[in-house]
Amino acid sequence: MLLAEANPAHTDARGSISDLVIEDEIGAVAHITFTENAVRGNHIHNHTTQWNYVVAGHLEVVIVDADGVRRSNTLRRGGLLRIDPGEAHALRAEEPTELMVFTMGPRAGKEYESDTIRLAEPLISSRD
Protein backbone atom coordinates (compact mmCIF):
# COMPACT_ATOMS: atom_id res chain seq x y z
CA MET A 1 0.00 0.00 0.00
CA LEU A 2 1.23 3.46 -0.90
CA LEU A 3 -0.65 6.50 0.36
CA ALA A 4 0.41 9.88 -0.98
CA GLU A 5 -0.74 13.33 -1.97
CA ALA A 6 -0.55 14.24 -5.65
CA ASN A 7 2.12 16.95 -5.72
CA PRO A 8 2.43 19.18 -8.79
CA ALA A 9 5.40 18.40 -11.04
CA HIS A 10 4.92 21.74 -12.78
CA THR A 11 3.03 24.91 -11.89
CA ASP A 12 2.67 28.16 -13.80
CA ALA A 13 0.04 30.84 -14.44
CA ARG A 14 -2.18 28.33 -16.29
CA GLY A 15 -2.37 25.89 -13.36
CA SER A 16 -0.47 22.75 -12.45
CA ILE A 17 0.40 19.27 -13.71
CA SER A 18 0.54 16.39 -11.22
CA ASP A 19 1.93 13.02 -12.32
CA LEU A 20 -0.20 10.34 -10.64
CA VAL A 21 1.37 7.13 -11.97
CA ILE A 22 4.94 7.10 -13.27
CA GLU A 23 6.85 4.27 -14.94
CA ASP A 24 4.07 1.70 -14.57
CA GLU A 25 1.81 0.10 -17.13
CA ILE A 26 -1.89 0.91 -16.93
CA GLY A 27 -4.44 -1.56 -18.31
CA ALA A 28 -7.60 0.36 -17.53
CA VAL A 29 -8.87 3.64 -16.10
CA ALA A 30 -12.25 3.85 -14.38
CA HIS A 31 -14.27 6.74 -12.96
CA ILE A 32 -16.21 5.61 -9.87
CA THR A 33 -18.78 7.58 -7.91
CA PHE A 34 -19.93 6.99 -4.35
CA THR A 35 -23.03 8.25 -2.61
CA GLU A 36 -22.57 9.26 1.04
CA ASN A 37 -21.79 6.18 3.21
CA ALA A 38 -21.53 3.88 0.17
CA VAL A 39 -19.04 1.03 0.58
CA ARG A 40 -17.04 -0.50 -2.25
CA GLY A 41 -14.41 -3.19 -2.21
CA ASN A 42 -14.41 -5.67 0.66
CA HIS A 43 -12.41 -7.86 -1.66
CA ILE A 44 -8.88 -8.81 -2.69
CA HIS A 45 -7.10 -9.09 -6.05
CA ASN A 46 -4.43 -11.74 -6.54
CA HIS A 47 -2.84 -10.20 -9.64
CA THR A 48 -4.11 -6.62 -9.98
CA THR A 49 -2.49 -3.40 -8.80
CA GLN A 50 -4.79 -0.41 -8.56
CA TRP A 51 -4.14 3.28 -7.98
CA ASN A 52 -7.06 5.25 -6.50
CA TYR A 53 -7.10 9.03 -6.92
CA VAL A 54 -9.78 11.10 -5.17
CA VAL A 55 -11.19 13.76 -7.49
CA ALA A 56 -13.82 15.02 -5.02
CA GLY A 57 -14.99 14.09 -1.53
CA HIS A 58 -13.19 11.78 0.87
CA LEU A 59 -13.09 8.12 1.81
CA GLU A 60 -12.36 5.93 4.79
CA VAL A 61 -9.96 3.24 3.57
CA VAL A 62 -9.10 -0.06 5.26
CA ILE A 63 -6.30 -2.25 3.90
CA VAL A 64 -5.14 -5.62 5.25
CA ASP A 65 -1.84 -6.70 3.73
CA ALA A 66 -0.72 -10.25 2.97
CA ASP A 67 0.82 -10.50 6.48
CA GLY A 68 -2.52 -9.62 8.12
CA VAL A 69 -1.52 -6.08 9.13
CA ARG A 70 -4.60 -3.84 9.13
CA ARG A 71 -4.32 -0.12 8.33
CA SER A 72 -6.99 2.56 8.21
CA ASN A 73 -6.64 5.95 6.56
CA THR A 74 -8.70 8.81 5.25
CA LEU A 75 -8.16 9.59 1.59
CA ARG A 76 -9.16 13.15 0.67
CA ARG A 77 -9.42 15.12 -2.57
CA GLY A 78 -6.02 14.95 -4.28
CA GLY A 79 -5.00 11.84 -2.33
CA LEU A 80 -3.53 8.84 -4.10
CA LEU A 81 -3.62 5.26 -2.82
CA ARG A 82 -1.95 2.25 -4.46
CA ILE A 83 -3.37 -1.15 -3.54
CA ASP A 84 -1.02 -4.01 -4.38
CA PRO A 85 -1.97 -7.60 -5.26
CA GLY A 86 -2.82 -9.60 -2.16
CA GLU A 87 -4.06 -6.62 -0.13
CA ALA A 88 -7.66 -6.89 1.05
CA HIS A 89 -9.34 -3.51 0.80
CA ALA A 90 -12.55 -1.59 1.36
CA LEU A 91 -13.56 2.05 0.92
CA ARG A 92 -16.45 4.00 2.44
CA ALA A 93 -17.44 7.48 1.26
CA GLU A 94 -17.80 9.99 4.08
CA GLU A 95 -19.64 12.26 1.60
CA PRO A 96 -20.47 12.05 -2.13
CA THR A 97 -17.11 11.13 -3.68
CA GLU A 98 -15.54 10.71 -7.11
CA LEU A 99 -12.60 8.39 -7.62
CA MET A 100 -10.39 7.68 -10.61
CA VAL A 101 -9.01 4.13 -10.53
CA PHE A 102 -6.04 3.12 -12.67
CA THR A 103 -5.40 -0.62 -12.83
CA MET A 104 -2.70 -3.00 -14.03
CA GLY A 105 -3.77 -6.62 -14.26
CA PRO A 106 -6.88 -8.60 -15.17
CA ARG A 107 -9.44 -6.02 -14.02
CA ALA A 108 -10.65 -4.17 -17.12
CA GLY A 109 -13.93 -4.48 -19.02
CA LYS A 110 -15.20 -8.04 -19.24
CA GLU A 111 -12.31 -9.16 -17.01
CA TYR A 112 -13.66 -7.01 -14.15
CA GLU A 113 -14.54 -9.89 -11.82
CA SER A 114 -11.90 -12.40 -12.96
CA ASP A 115 -9.37 -11.31 -10.31
CA THR A 116 -11.81 -10.38 -7.53
CA ILE A 117 -12.20 -12.54 -4.44
CA ARG A 118 -14.99 -11.33 -2.13
CA LEU A 119 -14.21 -11.32 1.59
CA ALA A 120 -16.36 -13.53 3.84
CA GLU A 121 -16.14 -10.86 6.57
CA PRO A 122 -16.29 -7.24 5.36
CA LEU A 123 -13.51 -4.86 6.39
CA ILE A 124 -16.04 -2.01 6.35
CA SER A 125 -19.83 -2.17 6.63
CA SER A 126 -22.16 0.56 5.45
CA ARG A 127 -23.57 3.02 7.97
CA ASP A 128 -27.31 3.53 7.99
Side-chain angles (χ1 to χ4, degrees):
M1 175 183 84
L2 167 72
L3 183 65
E5 292 290 321
N7 294 314
H10 177 79
T11 302
D12 62 24
R14 299 170 293 174
S16 64
I17 298 172
S18 297
D19 298 319
L20 301 177
V21 180
I22 302 171
E23 298 179 12
D24 274 315
E25 183 179 325
I26 300 296
V29 178
H31 176 253
I32 299 174
T33 62
F34 292 75
T35 57
E36 185 174 352
N37 295 318
V39 175
R40 294 187 182 272
N42 281 316
H43 59 231
I44 190 169
H45 307 292
N46 287 323
H47 306 288
T48 300
T49 300
Q50 67 184 53
W51 295 263
N52 302 274
Y53 177 73
V54 179
V55 176
H58 68 280
L59 300 163
E60 172 189 9
V61 178
V62 175
I63 305 281
V64 178
D65 68 20
D67 295 326
V69 176
R70 182 184 178 107
R71 293 184 212 121
S72 298
N73 288 291
T74 298
L75 192 61
R76 299 185 183 285
R77 182 177 177 265
L80 179 67
L81 171 69
R82 185 187 71 219
I83 301 171
D84 294 317
E87 292 183 326
H89 55 281
L91 306 98
R92 177 178 31 227
E94 300 294 328
E95 62 187 27
T97 300
E98 289 185 54
L99 189 67
M100 296 297 297
V101 179
F102 308 85
T103 57
M104 177 178 55
R107 186 83 173 123
K110 65 184 178 196
E111 299 295 321
Y112 184 77
E113 292 292 328
S114 70
D115 192 38
T116 301
I117 297 97
R118 304 283 171 204
L119 299 175
E121 289 288 324
L123 299 175
I124 300 177
S125 298
S126 50
R127 294 181 188 149
D128 296 321

